[in-house]
Amino acid sequence: MNPADRSASRTVAAAAARPVEKIRVLIADDHVTVREGLAAMIGRQADMAVVGEAATGRQAVELWFSLRPDIVLLDLRMPELDGVGAIGEIRQRDAAARIIVLTTFDTDSDIANAIRAGARGYLLKDSQREELLDSIRRVHAGETSISPSLVAKLAAGISSETLTGRELDVLILLAHGKSNKEIGANLYISETTVKSHLRNIFAKLDVLSRTEAITVACRRGLVTL
Amino acid sequence: MNPADRSASRTVAAAAARPVEKIRVLIADDHVTVREGLAAMIGRQADMAVVGEAATGRQAVELWFSLRPDIVLLDLRMPELDGVGAIGEIRQRDAAARIIVLTTFDTDSDIANAIRAGARGYLLKDSQREELLDSIRRVHAGETSISPSLVAKLAAGISSETLTGRELDVLILLAHGKSNKEIGANLYISETTVKSHLRNIFAKLDVLSRTEAITVACRRGLVTL
DNA sequence: GTGCGACTCTCCCAAATGGGAGAGTGCCGA
DNA sequence: TCGGCACTCTCCCATTTGGGAGAGTCGCAC
């Protein structure tokens, strides 16, 4: 399946009905409803075919290598192995893999992580039919496809400073409503150290209070409440 | 996928067994993928048929009264008119309406509001195929159908004290990271009043600090970050 | 009209938080 | 090996927050 084949098959498909190389699509989502929906939409296209469905990230990786599809549509939140993990494993052994993330989540870190891991496309589940199908064709053709509205978020996410591991520890406990003292006890550090971390966190997130920090952290997907 | 196709396939399916009264299902969800998925699953059942699809709550209400289906599968989060609003409007003019809520959200208040508004069933979108189809049959038969795991949440939600309107105003601003002073300025009340409200909120939510209040409020679906 | 609850406010005080300035340790990469 | 970074900690102080104990007004329901 080299680029020449691909452009050829596209020409044929455009021309009319003849033995056509269909785009072989793998669907990975833990919701049966979504899998059915994608399969129904893709199955109706003349130039695409669903070759497999996975309900977990682990399954998605296995099916990618056993079925050798052209494209995988991947949800980010899945049991066993999450989307980002699955992308990593697939790309590690197959750097050319064409992966489209299709998810409900659009926090900065979700998008950034998926792209960093090697996704070629990123769509939200409320995308329209044509948008989705176009995206599959575009990514299959070697392009990338990310919703314009998400590009802005991506830029914002990248420009923002990254927290250190310890700062994230503190932030997570903070977001669960712990006091400085409790955070310290949980992490086996003194309360003053917690305050130091918090000052750095506030500066990085550009906020003034712990409550603001929680909301910003949620929006950026740094923590889950 | 036009009405003619659908009625045609209905006649055929009926011929196979007997002239069967199919359960007429209306689907209301703003995600085209989910609509397709539900339509595909339901369409394959011998005893069910999808008679319409709505992408907004407003459309769902209109189609309920123009198509007169037996059941509507309703997402809670929809543009124009949300699920709870749609349930209200439908039940107001048709108290016997059989409504199943099918949503990704399972916070206490979502469930409680939907049930209060008159939903007969409440399913999460990660439900399995059979669970979903069973639920449709059960609710059509006049029973109610709520995932056991949700019943516990429902009970918890009902037992918890309800916040007054003003308290909710305060809580929402609190969750957005405002200080007491800012909340007061926003609501045109004094800072001390804000503190009074907060004390009541803390007592009702059974928490000790504003940060805890945020997390609990999020979990219960009282606020959206 | 009486009572109740929501909403508003006050005074007061202890505890927690936010922020400045600085410093020691340990690890990793240039 | 040497700088930089993460992580840890200290002292200090202004501000914010949490909480006790009341109290006045308004509107709604019985």
Side-chain angles (χ1 to χ4, degrees):
Chain A
M1 185 59 86
N2 58 55
D5 287 342
R6 222 172 269 119
S7 49
S9 71
R10 243 161 70 221
T11 325
V12 172
R18 248 204 304 157
V20 179
E21 269 304 320
K22 290 194 177 189
I23 304 176
R24 293 157 43 81
V25 181
L26 171 63
I27 296 171
D29 196 299
D30 57 334
H31 292 30
V32 70
T33 311
V34 174
R35 289 201 304 271
E36 290 269 2
L38 292 172
M41 284 190 284
I42 293 170
R44 280 200 299 274
Q45 303 305 306
D47 58 340
M48 299 178 192
V50 176
V51 295
E53 295 185 14
T56 70
R58 176 63 48 215
Q59 253 184 47
V61 175
E62 285 163 13
L63 290 181
W64 175 267
F65 290 105
S66 64
L67 299 175
R68 309 298 316 182
D70 298 315
I71 293 268
V72 56
L73 291 181
L74 201 68
D75 189 9
L76 277 193
R77 312 279 162 112
M78 281 187 294
E80 277 194 62
L81 179 67
D82 71 351
V84 172
I87 295 175
E89 290 204 17
I90 291 174
R91 298 274 304 196
Q92 200 187 335
R93 290 194 279 158
D94 182 356
R98 290 181 161 78
I99 300 168
I100 298 178
V101 169
L102 179 67
T103 187
T104 12
F105 305 100
D106 69 338
T107 64
D108 302 355
S109 71
D110 283 331
I111 306 170
N113 286 335
I115 300 294
R116 251 198 298 278
R120 298 288 185 82
Y122 197 109
L123 290 171
L124 291 183
K125 276 191 187 156
D126 52 8
S127 301
Q128 292 307 301
R129 204 186 315 248
E130 289 312 318
E131 207 176 330
L132 171 72
L133 297 171
D134 267 14
S135 191
I136 294 177
R137 293 191 183 97
R138 294 248 289 278
V139 171
H140 179 249
E143 302 170 47
T144 59
S145 169
I146 299 170
S147 305
S149 64
L150 295 180
V151 175
K153 287 211 167 211
L154 183 60
I158 283 178
S159 73
S160 81
E161 304 193 61
T162 54
L163 300 182
T164 68
R166 206 54 170 166
E167 285 165 355
L168 209 50
D169 291 340
V170 172
L171 185 58
I172 289 168
L173 289 170
L174 173 68
H176 281 74
K178 308 285 186 190
S179 72
N180 290 349
K181 191 175 294 189
E182 289 174 317
I183 294 172
N186 260 277
L187 299 178
Y188 302 107
I189 57 179
S190 84
E191 196 184 330
T192 57
T193 304
V194 174
K195 288 169 63 174
S196 290
H197 288 311
L198 280 178
R199 254 182 293 129
N200 296 330
I201 291 170
F202 292 169
K204 287 184 180 177
L205 296 185
D206 192 29
V207 299
L208 293 171
S209 71
R210 54 209 296 108
T211 45
E212 257 191 288
I214 293 177
T215 66
V216 171
C218 280
R219 250 196 299 279
R220 298 215 186 151
L222 268 24
V223 299
T224 321
L225 283 188
Chain B
M1 192 43 118
N2 58 54
D5 287 344
R6 230 178 260 119
S7 46
S9 68
R10 216 153 87 213
T11 324
V12 172
R18 249 196 311 156
V20 179
E21 269 305 319
K22 289 196 177 192
I23 304 176
R24 295 159 41 82
V25 181
L26 171 63
I27 296 171
D29 195 299
D30 55 334
H31 293 29
V32 68
T33 311
V34 174
R35 290 201 303 272
E36 290 268 3
L38 292 173
M41 284 190 285
I42 293 169
R44 278 200 299 273
Q45 303 306 306
D47 59 341
M48 299 178 194
V50 176
V51 296
E53 297 184 13
T56 70
R58 177 63 49 216
Q59 254 184 47
V61 175
E62 286 164 11
L63 289 181
W64 174 267
F65 290 104
S66 63
L67 298 176
R68 309 299 313 184
D70 299 313
I71 293 269
V72 56
L73 290 181
L74 201 69
D75 188 9
L76 278 191
R77 311 280 162 110
M78 281 188 293
E80 277 193 61
L81 179 65
D82 71 350
V84 172
I87 295 175
E89 291 204 17
I90 291 174
R91 297 275 303 197
Q92 200 185 334
R93 289 193 280 157
D94 182 354
R98 291 182 161 80
I99 300 168
I100 298 178
V101 169
L102 179 67
T103 187
T104 14
F105 306 101
D106 69 338
T107 62
D108 303 353
S109 70
D110 284 331
I111 305 170
N113 286 335
I115 300 295
R116 251 197 299 277
R120 299 289 184 83
Y122 197 109
L123 290 171
L124 292 182
K125 277 192 186 156
D126 52 10
S127 300
Q128 293 306 301
R129 203 186 315 247
E130 289 314 317
E131 208 176 330
L132 170 71
L133 297 171
D134 267 13
S135 191
I136 294 176
R137 294 190 182 100
R138 295 246 290 277
V139 171
H140 178 249
E143 302 170 47
T144 59
S145 168
I146 299 169
S147 305
S149 64
L150 295 179
V151 175
K153 288 211 170 212
L154 183 59
I158 282 177
S159 71
S160 81
E161 306 194 60
T162 55
L163 300 182
T164 67
R166 207 52 168 167
E167 285 165 354
L168 209 50
D169 291 340
V170 172
L171 186 57
I172 288 168
L173 290 170
L174 173 68
H176 281 74
K178 308 285 187 190
S179 71
N180 291 347
K181 192 175 293 189
E182 289 174 316
I183 294 172
N186 260 278
L187 298 178
Y188 303 107
I189 58 180
S190 85
E191 196 184 330
T192 57
T193 304
V194 174
K195 289 168 64 174
S196 291
H197 287 312
L198 280 179
R199 254 180 293 128
N200 297 331
I201 291 171
F202 292 169
K204 287 183 180 178
L205 296 186
D206 190 30
V207 298
L208 293 171
S209 71
R210 55 212 293 110
T211 45
E212 258 191 288
I214 294 178
T215 66
V216 171
C218 280
R219 250 196 297 280
R220 298 216 185 149
L222 267 25
V223 300
T224 320
L225 284 187

